[in-house]
Structures are given as C-alpha cells and as structure tokens.
Amino acid sequence: MGKATTSARNGTFLGRLTGSKNGLGLIFMLPAATFLLCFLTYPLGLGVWLGFTDTRIGRAGEFIGLENYIWLLDDPVFRLSVFNTILYTSVASVLKFGLGLWLALLLNEKLPMKSLFRAIILLPWVVPTVLSALAFWWIFDSQFSIISWILMKWGWIDTPINFLGDPTNARAAVIAANVWRGIPFVAISLLAGLQTIPASLNEAAALDGATSWQRFRRITLPLLTPIIAVVMTFSVLFTFTDFQLIYVLTRGGPVNATHLMATLSFQRAIPGGQLGEGAAIAVAMIPFLLAAILFSFFGLQRRKWQQGGAD
Amino acid sequence: MATVGFRNVRKAFGSVEVLHGVSFDIEEGEFVVLVGPSGCGKSTLLRLLAGLEHISSGDILIGERVVNDMPPKERDIAMVFQNYALYPHLTVGENMGFSLTLANRPKSEIAEKVGPAAEILGLSNLLDRYPRQLSGGQRQRVAMGRAIVRDPQVFLFDEPLSNLDAKLRVSMRAEVKNLHQRLKTTTVYVTHDQIEAMTMADRIVVMQDGIVEQIGAPLELYDSPANLFVAGFIGSPAMNMLSGRIDPDNSSRFISKEGVALPIGRPLVETPKGGAIYGLRPEAMRLGGDVRLKVEVVEPTGSETHVIGRLGGVEVVGVFRDRIEARPGDEIGFSIDTTATHLFDAASGKRVSI
C-alpha cells in the first residue's frame, strides 16, 4: 500500500479531496447539511422574508422593508400580545419550576409504589395538548365549570365564576392550564438530576451537622443547577411559543387579553389573510427566544467545579 | 474521645435480618477494625453507629449515652466514606470546613481549624482546588481532613482505601495509623481486607453473616483462631485445611482422609468426637522433612517462594523462605512447625485446644 496509491490519488481533484481529512469530512457532512438546509433553513428563511413583504393570501407580495415592523410597533394589540406573552411565560415558568422541583423532591424520597407515581406524574405531558385543552375548556366553562359547581355546593360563591370571560380570570386560567401541562417535564427532568447526586453526599452533610434545609440549600440545589439551567431554558422556550392551549381555550380573548405572539401571528396570517404581517409578528419572537438561550448559555455555563483537570 | 458499646444490636431490612445480635465494647482511643466478607453486616453496623440507619433492637452507646434515636448530627462522630463523599462544588478548604460553616462559625475560626488539619495531611497548597482536580489519594486525605476538623468523639472509616491502587493503599494504611497515633481518637474502621485489619488494628472484630465470629488483637486471631472461618479469613495465603481424624493409636498425630499423617505436636487433652480438621499455615512449612508435597506451581516472590502442590490429593499452599527450583510434578519434602498447627472439630468448626 502507501506510496503508489497516494500519488495516484493526488492527480485528480476528487482524489485530492478524498485524500485530505477536511475534504473527506465535508463530503460526509453534505447529506446532513442538505437536509438541514431544506427543512430548517428554508422555512425559517421564507418566514423572515415574508416579514419584509406585504404578501396576502392569494397575492404575491412585494418587498416593503421594515414597514410591517414599524406598523406593528404602533399596534396596541401587538404590544398587548408581547406583554401577555412575557407575563404568561414568566408566571408559568416560575410556577412550573417551583412546583416541579417540589414534586421531584417528593418523588426522590423512599415511597411505596414509586414507579406508579412517576408514571402518573407523566400523564399530563403524554396526553395530546388539544385534548387536555378541551378538558380545561370544560373545567373553565362559564356555566358548567366543575370548580364553580363545587364552590357553590360549599356555599363559598353564589354565581358561577366567569373563568374565560374576564380578562384577569382568563389570564390566570390559561396560565394554570399551562402549568398543569408543563410540570411533568420539569419534575421528571429534575428527578433525573436528583438521582445523579450520590446519597453519600447527603449522609456526609447530615454527619457534618446539616439540617434538612441546609442539605437542600448547600448540597442538593448547587449540584442541581446545571440540570435546572437546561430544563428551565427548554421550559421557557416551550411556554413562550405556546399556541395550542390558548387557541383551544380562548382564541386570544376576551378582548385580546390572552393573545400571545404566536396566536396573534396565526390569527393575522391565516384567518386574517395578512401573511406578511403574521410572519413579522412571528419573527419578532426570535429576539426574545435568542435572549433566553443566550442567558442560559452564558449565565448558567458549566461551573468551575464541574471541569476536571486544569487549575 | 469516647467509648463505644454495642448491646445485642439487631438490624432487619424488611423481613431480612442482617445483624443477629452483635455485642462488644470499644475502649477510649482504641482502633478497632470490623472485618469480614462482603454482606457480613460490617458496613451496616458502622452505619447504625453513625445514625444513617435505624437500629431494629438493642442499644448503641457512645460514651455513656444511648444514641439509638439520636440523629447523626448530634452524635458527634465523623465518617470517611468509601467514595470519599466530597462536595464537588466546594473547594478542598470549604469541604474541610463545611461542618463549621454550617454551625455559622466565623471565617477566622474556620481557617484556624482547617489550616493545621491541612498541614497534618499535606494539603496546605491544595486548599483552593476542587475535588475533581485531585488524585485519588489526595481526595482520600481531604475526606480524612474533613473528619479531623470536626474533632469528633469517634472516627468512622467505611472501606476508605478500597478505591486506591495497591501501592497507594499501603502508604495510606500507614498514614491512617499514624494519624490515629497522633490524635488518639476512638476509631472504628471497616474493611474486607484482612491485611488492612491486621496491620492497623488494636483489636479486630471478625464478622460473618451478621454475627461476630471472634474479637481479639491481630496476632491473637492469627495464632489462635476460634473457628474455621476466622482461621481461613485471617492470614495470606489462607490457612490450608485438611479433613480427617486423630490417629486412634497416637493422639499427637493427625491422619487426613487421603491417609497423610501430620504431626500435631503434643498429645491432645480431648479428642474431637467425630472428624477433625487440621489447619496448616503456609508459613509453618519448613523445607526438608518427610512430608511429601507434589509440586504444581512455583511462585517466586523474591523474598519468599510460594509453592502450590498436592498433599495426598488436597491442594496445599506453602510459603518458604528458601528459593526453590522445583518443576511441576516434582516432589519436595517438608516438615511442620508444630507450635503453629491448628485443629478444629469438623462438626462444630470450633477450635480444639492443643
């Protein structure tokens, strides 16, 4: 082998390409790159392009620059939807984190029928969103709500609560539904993180005189932060781009009080026919999402203690 | 420093009882090693003493106090874990001072206590490192340092050297012993390695299947093991066991099942009713004599030669100070140091006094 083949290969361009490590790597990456280009970059690129045009359904648009965005900046409904999205994401994420962590800590204890409980916890996540949204729609119904019915039976209220008709109630209701649906992901992921913490660390801390709160604060929580960072980044992204729950429960109402950017974008683009404007609203979500990703990337990077070797 | 007492200690996990009534006392400042094969209950006993498991019945005393229901943090003990259990997100210094941080001691006091402990263990220039950046031996020392800073009533060690390589283990063995001689804190040390037990202990507690087989000083166990288990467990290579009976015509002679006659030394005071088992330490065999050993494997170690061979069909290991150049299949003659022979009752496994 060796010399003869090498020199023969060196002759042609293809030979040189396959001969070099980088060239060969490029060839091997081509299929994946093509795939990504077609199915990821093209739709994203088309969306961004549409945002710069005045395309409507049934009419090819023209490039109008930033006109869509300038117009949206003055649109009170769009501004309200941004506010709603931020409120929805922050309140729901905080609740999901708190309740999810609490649930994970409970499930990490020695319980009888542990695996059964864990399976049950996963249910809200496994059920199709539309299905659970329909269930919540019924739970929040203005006349037949089971919550109102029970509270009335107990004599706490006289008339049914108008869950989805009142702006404040509606916001609380959709957040509650989102939290219910999002907890399993947070709880199960954090539980997986908890189980990587060796029991001997907690035992050592107990011997060192730590109370259970101190063990949680000084051992469990710091060791869990890397997992928390990843899980909460994902949770925030999912929540920020949520569509299904809102669309089934309120369609953005009442009076746009629960319109998120995703639902507003859909409403403007498809039922409203303004493809360009809808695309611009969707594109306006990207900076927020990037900010969330960058926050978790820089703010919650691997800590020094997680890195081995070097000083 | 304190005494430790176990009074008929039992522990069951569900319906499985793993400790069947363990009783013994540890004196103030004593270094006691719990040794036995895995699953014998030695680690469970240690965890009961630490308060990490709850005792099923009996009493555990530290000093004069019964600590059965006392949580770990009130027992004033420090434990070194097999996997060291160093807090990965804290530096060496923070690890060592963790107990003081928890108690809200001022920084100056923590530094005052961590400094000397680090000095003793040669960790002074590693205080700012994280556990990840340390070698196995250094981590081991940090774990001990964390215990020293506590200045506890009792030190507990749970197989602390088993994650280290052979050479490091030998040097850490000496370090642990050295440390104990310097601090004189009552120490309970769990290991499955009888050499660790022999070299470090003031007294050894040999356990098997949840009961104590024998308690005694290392050489006491070596010279007069109370039963077959201890005889086989203490000593390396292990004691050779040959089953057979006492010669009815000469009670100072043992005849193995295969018909090999072996000297007992002195006439027996009482002869075992049924069969007997003859215990022959490999070190008690001397080259030159009329007992014939058929050589199978010769293992020169430099200072001594291990010979594995057959004595009337039974595999026997001999350790000789001489250099032996025998080939497999050769026969060598040896004699037996009769001051170091052991005899056990085949039925009960108990030692028969010679």
Side-chain angles (χ1 to χ4, degrees):
Chain A
M1 266 251 10
K3 273 190 179 166
T5 23
T6 321
S7 55
R9 266 194 198 157
N10 280 347
T12 63
F13 169 73
L14 199 69
R16 279 207 308 279
L17 196 65
T18 52
S20 91
K21 208 174 172 182
N22 287 336
L24 204 62
L26 202 71
I27 293 174
F28 283 149
M29 280 190 330
L30 261 181
T34 317
F35 191 84
L36 283 177
L37 217 62
C38 291
F39 294 101
L40 270 178
T41 318
Y42 174 71
L44 189 67
L46 185 65
V48 173
W49 167 250
L50 279 175
F52 291 118
T53 67
D54 59 356
T55 311
R56 292 184 186 189
I57 291 182
R59 198 197 76 185
E62 278 174 33
F63 181 79
I64 54 167
L66 290 172
E67 216 169 289
N68 279 331
Y69 295 97
I70 293 163
W71 192 83
L72 279 176
L73 269 183
D74 278 335
D75 176 5
V77 178
F78 172 73
R79 285 163 143 189
L80 182 65
S81 80
V82 173
F83 169 77
N84 286 340
T85 311
I86 292 172
L87 181 81
Y88 182 76
T89 306
S90 40
V91 174
S93 296
V94 167
L95 287 177
K96 276 190 270 195
F97 172 66
L99 294 171
L101 181 60
W102 178 62
L103 210 57
L105 289 169
L106 279 185
L107 288 176
N108 200 32
E109 295 293 315
K110 284 175 193 151
L111 294 172
M113 296 198 293
K114 189 155 43 175
S115 44
L116 181 74
F117 280 117
R118 288 182 188 170
I120 291 175
I121 294 295
L122 266 181
L123 274 181
W125 208 51
V126 176
V127 178
T129 313
V130 174
L131 190 66
S132 50
L134 281 172
F136 268 101
W137 187 48
W138 195 233
I139 289 172
F140 293 142
D141 189 273
S142 56
Q143 286 178 50
F144 304 107
S145 163
I146 183 161
I147 301 173
S148 302
W149 183 78
I150 288 173
L151 292 181
M152 277 158 76
K153 274 267 168 190
W154 288 350
W156 289 15
I157 51 173
D158 300 323
T159 50
I161 300 171
N162 189 6
F163 281 108
L164 299 177
D166 172 81
T168 314
N169 284 354
R171 280 177 180 153
V174 290
I175 286 173
N178 180 277
V179 168
W180 178 82
R181 205 186 131 59
I183 279 181
F185 171 72
V186 177
I188 295 292
S189 308
L190 292 185
L191 178 62
L194 282 175
Q195 288 179 339
T196 63
I197 300 174
S200 60
L201 288 186
N202 269 307
E203 292 174 350
L207 284 167
D208 270 343
T211 60
S212 51
W213 166 248
Q214 281 175 320
R215 290 208 298 274
F216 173 73
R217 250 267 301 123
R218 293 178 175 274
I219 307 292
T220 309
L221 205 56
L223 292 179
L224 207 56
T225 41
I227 307 271
I228 291 176
V230 175
V231 170
M232 287 323 290
T233 304
F234 274 97
S235 178
V236 165
L237 295 187
F238 291 153
T239 316
F240 199 89
T241 55
D242 197 11
F243 172 83
Q244 299 181 64
L245 264 179
I246 303 287
Y247 198 72
V248 174
L249 278 179
T250 65
R251 302 216 170 208
V255 220
N256 300 322
T258 60
H259 243 321
L260 302 186
M261 291 167 85
T263 52
L264 186 69
S265 159
F266 176 80
Q267 200 203 36
R268 293 268 165 94
I270 309 298
Q274 308 278 1
L275 277 180
E277 200 187 317
I281 296 173
V283 170
M285 293 167 74
I286 293 176
F288 292 101
L289 298 177
L290 276 182
I293 292 171
L294 289 179
F295 175 74
S296 87
F297 184 77
F298 286 112
L300 305 163
Q301 274 183 35
R302 281 161 71 85
R303 302 292 198 285
K304 201 176 167 208
W305 57 265
Q306 289 175 278
Q307 296 159 351
D311 288 28
Chain B
M1 269 187 284
T3 58
V4 172
F6 295 98
R7 306 263 185 278
N8 198 21
V9 169
R10 288 171 185 274
K11 173 65 186 172
F13 292 104
S15 58
V16 186
E17 194 174 79
V18 294
L19 289 174
H20 313 288
V22 172
S23 301
F24 63 93
D25 286 296
I26 297 169
E27 284 166 31
E28 213 169 281
E30 203 176 14
F31 194 118
V32 168
V33 174
L34 307 181
V35 69
S38 48
C40 72
K42 56 191 191 298
S43 282
T44 306
L45 193 62
L46 195 74
R47 292 172 62 82
L48 286 175
L49 178 55
L52 299 173
E53 305 281 353
H54 203 262
I55 190 170
S56 298
S57 76
D59 283 320
I60 296 179
L61 290 87
I62 297 176
E64 300 300 311
R65 298 176 302 169
V66 175
V67 296
N68 294 359
D69 298 315
M70 198 181 275
K73 66 188 191 103
E74 286 166 28
R75 297 194 182 194
D76 198 12
I77 43 179
M79 181 157 166
V80 176
F81 290 79
Q82 181 173 358
N83 62 1
Y84 318 138
L86 300 181
Y87 311 120
H89 57 298
L90 302 180
T91 63
V92 169
E94 288 165 345
N95 260 286
M96 288 172 67
F98 190 66
S99 57
L100 301 170
T101 314
L102 287 176
N104 285 323
R105 311 307 304 179
K107 277 219 169 73
S108 57
E109 186 191 328
I110 297 176
E112 239 166 63
K113 290 205 170 159
V114 170
E119 192 78 31
I120 294 176
L121 295 163
L123 294 169
S124 297
N125 49 0
L126 300 176
L127 286 177
D128 293 326
R129 298 231 191 151
Y130 287 94
R132 277 241 167 155
Q133 302 165 316
L134 303 179
S135 69
Q138 289 167 335
R139 285 181 208 182
Q140 176 60 60
R141 275 199 278 268
V142 176
M144 292 201 300
R146 195 166 63 184
I148 294 173
V149 169
R150 293 273 312 282
D151 189 21
Q153 299 274 351
V154 186
F155 273 136
L156 308 182
F157 289 88
D158 188 7
E159 310 219 11
L161 306 186
S162 50
N163 288 359
L164 302 177
D165 64 58
K167 203 174 165 190
L168 201 53
R169 207 176 300 167
V170 174
S171 67
M172 287 305 291
R173 219 156 67 192
E175 254 181 70
V176 173
K177 195 168 179 178
N178 222 327
L179 192 70
H180 175 253
Q181 280 161 2
R182 188 196 275 241
L183 302 173
K184 300 201 167 36
T185 307
T186 313
T187 303
V188 186
Y189 185 107
V190 162
T191 179
H192 61 266
D193 181 352
Q194 57 94 17
I195 295 193
E196 265 175 44
M198 292 292 283
T199 51
M200 298 167 82
D202 292 331
R203 268 195 314 154
I204 298 177
V205 177
V206 183
M207 294 182 67
Q208 188 201 11
D209 293 338
I211 58 162
V212 173
E213 294 281 0
Q214 192 176 358
I215 302 176
L219 291 180
E220 227 173 284
L221 300 190
Y222 179 83
D223 289 337
S224 40
N227 52 46
L228 280 172
F229 175 78
V230 177
F233 195 80
I234 301 288
S236 171
M239 184 189 281
N240 301 298
M241 312 271 189
L242 295 104
S243 57
R245 61 195 164 81
I246 309 299
D247 187 343
D249 305 326
N250 178 0
S251 74
S252 63
R253 217 160 69 132
F254 171 89
I255 300 175
S256 84
K257 262 197 283 196
E258 293 75 17
V260 182
L262 298 164
I264 293 170
R266 283 150 288 168
L268 287 176
V269 184
E270 37 151 3
T271 45
K273 295 272 184 305
I277 289 175
Y278 187 88
L280 174 59
R281 289 254 180 236
E283 308 84 81
M285 294 159 71
R286 302 273 179 274
L287 202 59
D290 50 5
V291 191
R292 310 300 294 175
L293 180 70
K294 196 168 180 209
V295 176
E296 285 185 340
V297 178
V298 178
E299 298 176 330
T301 66
S303 61
E304 49 196 26
T305 312
H306 296 195
V307 177
I308 302 167
R310 298 218 168 245
L311 190 62
V314 181
E315 192 180 276
V316 161
V317 182
V319 172
F320 302 94
R321 300 305 308 249
D322 320 74
R323 298 198 167 180
I324 298 172
E325 292 194 14
R327 303 189 151 277
D330 288 357
E331 276 202 350
I332 56 172
F334 70 93
S335 57
I336 292 168
D337 175 5
T338 49
T339 59
T341 56
H342 306 272
L343 209 58
F344 302 93
D345 187 316
S348 67
K350 294 260 191 298
R351 178 182 186 81
V352 177
S353 45
I354 301 177

